[in-house]
Amino acid sequence: MPKGFPKEFFWGTATAAYQVEGADAEDGKGPSIWTSFSRQPGRIADGHTGDIACDHYHRFEEDLALMKELGVNAYRFSISWPRVLPEGRGPVNTPGMDFYQRWVDRLLENQITPFVTLYHGDLPLALQERIGGWAGEDIDRYFGDYAALMFRTLGDRVTYWITLNEPMRFSFIAYGKGEYTPGEQNLKTAFLVAHHLLRAHAQATARLRELLPNGKVGLINAASWIEAASESGEDIQTAFIANQLLHDWFFLPVLTGKYPEEAAQFVRGLGLLPVFDPQEMSRIAKAPDFWGINYYTRRRVKMDMSRPIFFAYAPPERETTESGLEIYPQGLTAFLKIAQKEYGSIPIFVTANGMADKDVLSNGVVADERRIAYLKSHIEAVQRAIAEGVDVRGYFVWSLLDGFEWTQGYDKRYGLIYVDYEKSLTRIKKDSYYYYKNYLAL
Ligand code: FCB
């Protein structure tokens, strides 16, 4: 394993159920909010859906062999809630549950440590329709029960559990920008949903503590390096609020039971802060065992109240990825240092990092040099943070495979492995796969 990292470091790749599994209506699986959202005209680039995705559900042995050859010792994947509980609650779908049981067993037999994300976007449609999904008052209870079911079923073999992947997306992006399911634009609901997500995290944490005393629970937050678009006092103040709103909002309540003060004032001033019993905040304050941080880019912000979530981003100053994100590895070091200082000094995993590139398959080769440079510089950024004292325990490339990239459909490829959608989903190792493989073999 590479030098300059702790001995027990986890090196992995990450995926999410709806993005790779496919088999969306098979073996008793219930539809998710993405099953229906992806069918709405105009929502997803080129009208793509995750119905088939990479067909990982049927090809997991092949994907496992690819991972084994890659040499990773960890894999982060998510459970599809409607695959195990088609209605979101009630009877368990045994074939769906068996799939995850088998998958965890196979990973462990291959010395790959599973990192299980309980929620990565695919809420059972039944819960959306019956109780309003994440806006529903009781959603945290359902989530807690689902989490407990998974703890009971897989907890004898899985140690690392992640409650939610990027709650910011399911609240501000889904209900603020309206870009993700259910695609509404209602900021009041966005803040309510954010609150319910924090409650849900707390519920699942409490259930884990009760059921799996040796289990470790984490929360993954989206992280960007946020800076002011200019040196004006106004922009500097905006960057301060943006950091509180896009980061602290999902870190601090879990630690301290409080929303960040200035951002909360700002949100309250707009009449958007949900009303809740103050006691409830002490129930939300359940520190995790680790933080997951998904890092991709830097954002230079300016206030723009006409935007769905208040901020406009200045045009990138440096090279960008195929998704238009500025490549800024030093932001990862800087964020990790701040996270360690401000967010309770608990272990951190970089749970997603990678880039969309213009991958061209030519004579069986994908020469994705830009991705190699991206990964290299970001791994070095992690190493630098560790050298400066940050307790980073693992690094996961997003992603193992090209997959369904939400509203961007299959147009944006993030994988170390190319998926040939034209030719029966054949997997082709990109040059970045070999880069990571050789790096891990050092
Ligand atoms: C991550 C998301 C994941 C994927 C990548 C590009 O942060 O969690 O689902 O879309 O971004």
Side-chain angles (χ1 to χ4, degrees):
M1 290 285 168
K3 298 202 179 62
F5 287 89
K7 240 186 154 172
E8 306 283 300
F9 204 73
F10 286 105
W11 292 98
T13 61
T15 61
Y18 189 72
Q19 298 185 266
V20 297
E21 280 181 3
D24 196 50
E26 255 179 77
D27 290 347
K29 179 184 173 295
S32 77
I33 52 175
W34 276 91
T35 309
S36 64
F37 189 68
S38 64
R39 281 173 173 65
Q40 292 173 20
R43 292 293 197 184
I44 316 289
D46 301 322
H48 292 156
T49 74
D51 287 3
I52 300 174
C54 308
D55 199 27
H56 168 77
Y57 185 76
H58 294 117
R59 297 175 193 227
F60 70 88
E61 282 295 342
E62 184 184 349
D63 294 338
L64 179 65
L66 286 162
M67 243 188 272
K68 183 79 187 154
E69 183 194 331
L70 184 59
V72 288
N73 61 6
Y75 179 55
R76 177 165 84 84
F77 64 97
S78 76
I79 307 276
S80 160
W81 183 349
R83 195 179 291 291
V84 295
L85 290 172
E87 299 283 314
R89 55 188 163 170
V92 174
N93 176 39
T94 310
M97 190 61 100
D98 286 350
F99 169 71
Y100 295 114
Q101 301 249 36
R102 239 181 3 257
W103 182 229
V104 164
D105 288 342
R106 295 294 290 134
L107 287 169
L108 291 172
E109 279 160 24
N110 286 278
Q111 291 79 46
I112 298 173
T113 302
F115 280 68
V116 176
T117 309
L118 289 167
Y119 187 71
H120 199 132
D122 46 355
L123 188 78
L125 185 61
L127 289 181
Q128 187 69 40
E129 289 175 343
R130 298 220 188 100
I131 65 156
W134 287 106
E137 182 63 25
D138 290 332
I139 188 70
D140 59 320
R141 254 196 320 114
Y142 294 119
F143 182 71
D145 290 346
Y146 153 62
L149 168 72
M150 297 316 301
F151 298 152
R152 277 193 214 100
T153 314
L154 298 175
D156 56 338
R157 284 154 288 165
V158 173
T159 303
Y160 292 94
W161 295 91
I162 291 135
T163 53
L164 307 168
N165 176 78
E166 301 189 8
M168 196 266 280
R169 270 192 198 230
F170 316 135
S171 49
F172 299 167
I173 309 281
Y175 289 86
K177 267 188 156 175
E179 207 178 281
Y180 283 39
T181 50
E184 272 176 48
Q185 279 197 327
N186 183 335
L187 273 181
K188 206 158 182 169
T189 312
F191 282 96
L192 183 69
V193 164
H195 190 69
H196 289 173
L197 284 158
L198 290 168
R199 266 195 200 163
H201 165 77
Q203 274 270 358
T205 304
R207 304 299 282 270
L208 180 121
R209 302 268 183 255
E210 160 200 325
L211 293 165
L212 302 178
N214 297 321
K216 295 201 182 303
V217 66
L219 172 66
I220 292 183
N221 280 318
S224 306
W225 181 248
I226 293 178
E227 282 178 8
S230 78
E231 283 173 11
S232 78
E234 205 188 318
D235 287 351
I236 290 170
Q237 178 60 14
T238 298
F240 175 77
I241 294 289
N243 259 309
Q244 285 202 342
L245 212 50
L246 302 177
H247 297 141
D248 297 356
W249 204 263
F250 298 96
F251 282 100
L252 291 186
V254 173
L255 288 177
T256 63
K258 289 199 186 91
Y259 281 117
E261 210 175 303
E262 289 80 358
Q265 244 174 51
F266 172 78
V267 173
R268 192 180 294 115
L270 297 168
L272 299 172
L273 195 68
V275 179
F276 44 81
D277 165 6
Q279 286 238 323
E280 177 178 319
M281 287 312 273
S282 62
R283 286 195 293 274
I284 285 180
K286 289 210 167 39
D289 298 306
F290 63 93
W291 295 119
I293 281 172
N294 292 353
Y295 178 88
Y296 295 91
T297 193
R298 166 174 81 154
R299 305 278 197 193
R300 294 182 310 121
V301 296
K302 231 182 186 359
M303 190 64 83
D304 180 349
M305 293 305 283
S306 71
R307 298 276 174 143
I309 29 180
F310 323 125
F311 311 112
Y313 299 136
E317 282 180 328
R318 296 160 191 248
E319 187 187 346
T320 60
T321 71
E322 272 297 289
S323 304
L325 300 179
E326 186 184 56
I327 301 177
Y328 197 72
Q330 50 273 59
L332 176 54
T333 313
F335 191 91
L336 288 169
K337 284 166 65 177
I338 286 192
Q340 175 92 23
K341 213 165 101 214
E342 314 264 318
Y343 303 141
S345 210
I346 59 180
I348 300 174
F349 291 84
V350 176
T351 35
N353 174 242
M355 73 178 272
D357 202 358
K358 207 188 231 55
D359 292 329
V360 182
L361 176 63
S362 159
N363 298 323
V365 172
V366 180
D368 56 339
E369 272 128 44
R370 289 204 324 138
R371 181 175 291 107
I372 295 175
Y374 182 100
L375 294 177
K376 197 164 175 291
S377 60
H378 285 79
I379 290 173
E380 280 165 13
V382 175
Q383 194 173 6
R384 214 164 300 129
I386 293 173
E388 293 186 34
V390 184
D391 185 6
V392 187
R393 304 271 175 104
Y395 172 84
F396 294 77
V397 175
W398 186 272
S399 178
L400 177 68
L401 302 165
D402 293 337
F404 176 82
E405 277 300 332
W406 310 116
T407 47
Q408 299 175 325
Y410 297 98
D411 296 341
K412 298 286 177 274
R413 293 176 177 273
Y414 276 87
L416 297 173
I417 297 167
Y418 186 92
V419 176
D420 195 343
Y421 301 110
E422 313 283 308
K423 281 213 190 101
S424 50
L425 306 173
T426 307
R427 274 73 163 141
I428 295 136
K429 297 165 204 161
K430 301 181 192 176
D431 284 0
S432 57
Y433 174 98
Y434 292 106
Y435 155 73
Y436 197 41
K437 175 180 167 176
N438 291 335
Y439 180 73
L440 295 182
L442 282 180

